[in-house]
């Protein structure tokens, strides 16, 4: 009877801890406060939409759309920047953002071979908006990771209607994480990865600005949770026994902020996201496409104007360091959230990936005194 009760208690505990965010389990990452939803949508006006494609044993993929603001983004662009941590990827739209420092479409995340389809859908979405009847050039921004271990990626199951659906169902508030959208078939640190998000709200004395991050995790290394060597303790990490490609993959990191930054300082912000990724144990391996897209919602840049100059007020360099810290913390937590919220998944060719063993992780965190 005693053993039965113990087994029941353990099963109940495991079930209770399944798919809970780290903060709900007593793991607090960083020192800055989060926003209301601890998500990229804590930046006012930012919306996220997702379409998850699961069919039979072969299809494990999807689309995640990030909309910086309401209205016609092409006509009123947002300042933006992109930083490349490691360039083994297929990010569409990079050169124009780099050259002009603006973004004129939402951001779409999907799988590697669906980038052209997503770009085509974004063009359709943009030119069909009211006010864009004469538009003849669109710079669609599409990021990707390769979900080919669990997903029949050659089947190219993401269609234009899925991208348009993700754009149309985008909303503010809580963001679903784990095996959803563009994270449906991803693998991170040899565990099931996915979509993760987090935010930081600076105190008023530090500007009161919000930084939100959303990640699509599909990379490897030696997992650390809040500084604790979890991957080492679990005995599951890249290059443990031989030279392999378990660390390859990609990570897309999207940063939104309401701080008034220009493209130069947004790129500086984007560089700090790589530091947040490194804090989780990611190594930006040879075969990993690690990209950061950062944008500000503080002001808009008109597509056409009769004014030769701009009077936008920008944050001074000396006041940006708290935003760097916020970005590092939010990126770190977004990645860890993606792991905690993901579920075990089977996939194409009989492949399967286990979710992070959260009970074991909590035991390790207790061992290191990092569990509240």
């Amino acid at each position: 009877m005693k053993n039965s009760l113990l087994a029941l208690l353990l099963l109940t505990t495991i079930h209770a801890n399944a798919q809970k965010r780290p903060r709900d389990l007593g793991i607090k990452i960083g020192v800055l406060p989060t926003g209301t939803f601890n998500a990229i949508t804590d930046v006012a006006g930012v919306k996220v939409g997702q379409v998850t494609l699961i069919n039979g044993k072969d299809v494990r993929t999807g689309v995640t759309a990030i909309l910086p603001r309401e209205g016609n983004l092409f006509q009123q662009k947002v300042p933006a920047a992109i930083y490349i941590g490691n360039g083994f990827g297929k990010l569409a739209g990079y050169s124009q953002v780099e050259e002009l420092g603006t973004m004129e479409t939402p951001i779409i995340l999907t799988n590697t071979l669906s980038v052209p389809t997503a770009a085509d859908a974004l063009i359709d979405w943009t030119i069909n908006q009211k006010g864009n009847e004469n538009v003849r050039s669109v710079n669609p921004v599409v990021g990707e990771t390769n979900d080919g271990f669990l997903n029949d990626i050659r089947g190219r199951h993401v269609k234009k209607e899925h991208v348009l659906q993700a754009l149309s169902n985008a909303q503010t508030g809580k963001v679903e994480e784990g095996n959803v959208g563009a994270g449906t078939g991803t693998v991170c640190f040899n565990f099931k990865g996915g979509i993760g998000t987090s935010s930081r709200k600076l105190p008023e004395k530090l500007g009161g600005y919000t930084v939100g991050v959303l990640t699509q995790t599909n990379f490897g290394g030696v997992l650390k949770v809040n500084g604790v060597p979890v991957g080492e303790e679990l005995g599951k990490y890249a290059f443990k026994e031989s030279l392999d490609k378990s660390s390859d993959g990609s990570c897309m990191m999207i940063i939104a902020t309401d701080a008034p930054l220009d493209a130069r300082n947004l790129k500086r912000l984007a560089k700090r996201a790589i530091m947040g990724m490194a804090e989780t144990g990611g190594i930006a391996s040879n075969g990993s496409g690690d990209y950061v897209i950062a944008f500000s919602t503080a002001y808009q840049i008109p597509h056409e104007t009769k004014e030769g100059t701009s009077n936008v007020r920008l944050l001074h360099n000396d006041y940006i360091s708290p935003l760097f810290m916020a970005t590092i913390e939010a990126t770190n937590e977004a990645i860890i959230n993606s792991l905690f919220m993901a579920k075990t998944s089977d996939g194409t060719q009989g492949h399967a990936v286990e979710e992070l063993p959260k009970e074991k992780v909590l035991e390790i965190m207790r061992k290191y005194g990092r569990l509240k």
Side-chain angles (χ1 to χ4, degrees):
M1 176 67 77
K2 187 179 291 184
N3 288 339
S4 298
L5 288 174
L6 185 61
L8 180 60
L9 178 61
L10 180 61
L11 183 63
T12 302
T13 303
I14 291 173
H15 179 72
N17 289 341
Q19 284 67 59
K20 281 191 175 181
R21 299 177 106 187
R23 283 181 180 265
D24 297 328
L25 298 172
I27 301 172
K28 180 185 176 186
I29 296 174
V31 298
L32 294 172
T34 70
T36 302
F37 299 102
N38 192 16
I40 193 171
T41 49
D42 285 319
V43 178
V46 175
K47 294 182 177 182
V48 174
Q50 305 195 82
V51 169
T52 301
L53 301 176
I54 298 175
N55 188 16
K57 293 290 186 180
D58 291 325
V59 181
R60 302 286 186 276
T61 193
V63 177
T64 298
I66 300 98
L67 281 66
R69 65 171 189 81
E70 290 273 10
N72 191 326
L73 188 59
F74 184 90
Q75 296 297 334
Q76 295 293 328
K77 309 176 197 302
V78 293
I82 297 174
Y83 180 71
I84 303 174
N86 192 71
F88 198 123
K90 288 77 187 169
L91 175 64
Y94 167 75
S95 63
Q96 184 171 309
V97 174
E98 174 70 14
E99 186 71 21
L100 302 182
T102 61
M103 191 166 64
E104 61 190 27
T105 71
I107 300 164
I108 297 296
L109 302 180
T110 187
N111 73 62
T112 307
L113 296 187
S114 295
V115 170
T117 299
D120 197 19
L122 257 183
I123 292 171
D124 280 357
W125 188 83
T126 301
I127 64 177
N128 287 324
Q129 284 189 307
K130 185 177 181 180
N132 293 347
E133 291 80 7
N134 296 319
V135 169
R136 291 178 174 81
S137 172
V138 178
N139 185 50
V141 178
V142 183
E144 55 80 27
T145 70
N146 194 309
D147 57 15
F149 185 74
L150 289 175
N151 176 52
D152 169 33
I153 194 168
R154 287 172 59 90
R156 290 184 279 182
H157 302 284
V158 172
K159 307 301 181 184
K160 287 171 66 173
E161 56 262 33
H162 299 134
V163 179
L164 295 173
Q165 183 182 347
L167 288 163
S168 67
N169 71 23
Q171 58 187 7
T172 58
K174 186 178 178 181
V175 177
E176 194 175 358
E177 298 170 294
N179 310 35
V180 294
T184 303
T186 61
V187 183
C188 189
F189 294 110
N190 291 315
F191 298 108
K192 183 67 188 73
I195 295 296
T197 188
S198 183
S199 70
R200 294 295 183 271
K201 171 73 173 176
L202 295 181
E204 289 302 320
K205 288 185 178 180
L206 296 178
Y209 303 115
T210 299
V211 173
V213 176
L214 183 142
T215 60
Q216 177 193 15
T217 61
N218 192 51
F219 63 97
V222 185
L223 175 62
K224 294 180 181 178
V225 178
N226 211 13
V228 175
V230 169
E232 186 177 353
E233 288 278 353
L234 292 173
K236 194 169 184 179
Y237 51 88
F239 312 130
K240 180 173 183 284
E241 298 174 348
S242 63
L243 182 65
D244 58 34
K245 292 189 175 183
S246 64
S247 62
D248 287 347
S250 291
C251 187
M252 289 298 310
M253 293 157 272
I254 314 302
I255 304 170
T257 184
D258 56 7
L261 305 180
D262 61 4
R264 178 182 61 83
N265 268 332
L266 283 168
K267 175 162 280 194
R268 297 179 72 202
L269 209 66
K271 291 177 181 179
R272 271 63 184 186
I274 296 295
M275 297 172 70
M277 178 186 173
E279 285 194 343
T280 70
I283 63 171
S285 70
N286 173 72
S288 191
D290 306 311
Y291 296 87
V292 189
I293 305 172
F295 63 86
S296 171
T297 63
Y299 62 98
Q300 299 165 18
I301 302 169
H303 177 61
E304 294 180 339
T305 179
K306 295 180 180 179
E307 300 294 331
T309 59
S310 171
N311 60 356
V312 174
R313 295 169 62 89
L314 298 173
L315 192 65
H316 193 281
N317 290 337
D318 289 344
Y319 291 81
I320 198 172
S321 292
L323 293 169
F324 290 164
M325 185 170 171
T327 300
I328 293 168
E329 287 191 7
T331 304
N332 182 341
E333 186 165 352
I335 291 170
I336 299 303
N337 280 346
S338 78
L339 285 161
F340 272 74
M341 296 301 286
K343 301 177 183 179
T344 296
S345 176
D346 61 359
T348 191
Q349 299 180 47
H351 295 161
V353 180
E354 296 292 321
E355 65 189 76
L356 186 72
K358 286 174 277 294
E359 286 304 313
K360 290 182 179 179
V361 172
L362 293 176
E363 289 176 11
I364 295 168
M365 300 302 290
R366 289 190 192 97
K367 173 183 173 181
Y368 282 81
R370 299 307 301 271
L371 192 67
K372 289 186 178 294

